[in-house]
Amino acid sequence: MDSLVSTEWLAQHLGEPDLVVVDCSWFMPASGRSGGDEYLAAHIPGARFLDIDEVADKTNPAPHSLPGAAEFSAAMERLGIGRDDRIVLYDNSPTRTAARGWFMFRHFGADQVAILDGGFQKWTGEGRSTESGEPEPRRASFNAVQRDEIVTKEQLLAGTALPWVDARGKGRFEGSEADPRPGVAAGHAPGARNLPFGSLYREDGTFKSIAELKQLFAEAGVDPAQPFVASCGSGVTANSLIFAAHLIGNDDTRLYDGSWSEWGADRATPKILGPA
């Protein structure tokens, strides 16, 4: 299974016993939308729902931080998702949260994980079937193991040789727009480059071509074939950069999971206004 699958591919393989479809839709709190409620109203047949706010480390003040391996395993087993399953993730969110789901499953040891290109928007736009309500129970075993691909605030403050790429929009990166979270400063970290995650996608929600993705990284001053640290507002949209690098052939990337919601809330961290 490729890391990026088409709606046609999924329609052909839907219902196969080792294939699990997962809705990862999440929305900014101010949107008034609920991924869980929208999932219950309509989802791809057989899909499970991954709530990234719930499957998280609730002791961390940063939003939806990654949980521990045991907690993730238990949550996936409750959902009926196994580590050895073929897992196809999608969303119906402007923040392209399937990429966060893809990172989470890979981070905890799943190897066969894909994103549905274009997501629920493309699926329904093509008139494909949906269903509502809770999925049928499914038995599964996960046994998570964690990959070493997370960078902490302390490590970044101590200094890293890796380029830092920020996936937030230009306004928030440069500080011309206020951060949507109370108490979080505007701007960006010294040395960070800006590559807004939305630029990686076409209007229909599908990923741009490999050549286009490489060009976008180059324009941001980043070599997508080399290791880098990705961040964003709260560790969600940065995963679109990590997935794009994966499509290009680079799996040697890191995620700053706390991202700007942690860095910007700390008065002691250095911050810069204006362009990179």
Side-chain angles (χ1 to χ4, degrees):
M1 182 176 69
D2 293 335
S3 297
L4 189 63
V5 300
S6 67
T7 51
E8 181 180 3
W9 184 95
L10 182 58
Q12 291 173 349
H13 294 271
L14 200 62
E16 292 177 359
D18 68 330
L19 183 73
V20 181
V21 182
V22 184
D23 186 330
C24 302
S25 299
W26 175 88
F27 303 95
M28 292 291 290
S31 71
R33 296 176 66 181
S34 162
D37 289 348
E38 292 189 15
Y39 162 83
L40 290 173
H43 53 261
I44 293 175
R48 277 68 188 127
F49 179 68
L50 171 60
D51 187 335
I52 66 173
D53 280 332
E54 288 301 316
V55 184
D57 179 3
K58 299 297 185 64
T59 67
N60 192 322
H64 38 251
S65 297
L66 288 169
E71 186 177 356
F72 188 81
S73 293
M76 294 309 100
E77 289 171 5
R78 287 193 297 271
L79 288 176
I81 305 170
R83 183 175 152 191
D84 295 328
D85 287 327
R86 290 181 296 157
I87 303 167
V88 176
L89 311 168
Y90 74 88
D91 65 64
N92 191 29
S93 170
T95 47
R96 311 298 180 196
T97 46
R100 173 66 176 191
W102 175 85
F103 182 90
M104 291 176 74
F105 277 105
R106 296 245 309 171
H107 178 69
F108 288 109
D111 293 319
Q112 301 184 88
V113 190
I115 289 177
L116 177 64
D117 204 16
F120 196 63
Q121 169 189 348
K122 194 168 190 294
W123 181 270
T124 55
E126 295 168 347
R128 301 187 188 275
S129 64
T130 63
E131 65 181 15
S132 59
E134 297 284 356
E136 291 292 325
R138 185 176 185 270
R139 297 187 66 179
S141 174
F142 204 91
N143 298 320
V145 292
Q146 285 181 271
R147 301 177 193 245
D148 182 18
E149 54 190 354
I150 301 299
V151 171
T152 65
K153 179 180 70 174
E154 290 71 26
Q155 289 172 321
L156 290 168
L157 285 169
T160 174
L162 299 182
W164 183 343
V165 193
D166 191 320
R168 292 176 299 157
K170 179 181 179 182
R172 287 176 61 191
F173 178 85
E174 296 185 353
S176 60
E177 295 177 13
D179 194 274
R181 293 179 173 86
V184 177
H188 60 271
R193 312 298 295 183
N194 186 213
L195 177 51
F197 79 95
S199 66
L200 306 175
Y201 297 87
R202 302 184 183 98
E203 286 190 11
D204 65 356
T206 58
F207 271 90
K208 292 181 178 177
S209 69
I210 298 298
E212 289 172 310
L213 295 176
K214 287 181 177 179
Q215 180 64 29
L216 288 166
F217 275 98
E219 290 171 356
V222 180
D223 184 348
Q226 297 299 316
F228 64 82
V229 174
S231 72
C232 55
S234 62
V236 175
T237 61
N239 296 286
S240 286
L241 303 186
I242 291 173
F243 184 76
H246 169 78
L247 291 177
I248 292 168
N250 177 16
D251 282 324
D252 194 8
T253 50
R254 304 288 185 272
L255 172 68
Y256 173 26
D257 196 37
S259 282
W260 197 254
S261 60
E262 179 181 58
W263 190 276
D266 186 343
R267 294 185 178 182
T269 56
K271 306 167 188 71
I272 292 177
L273 297 177

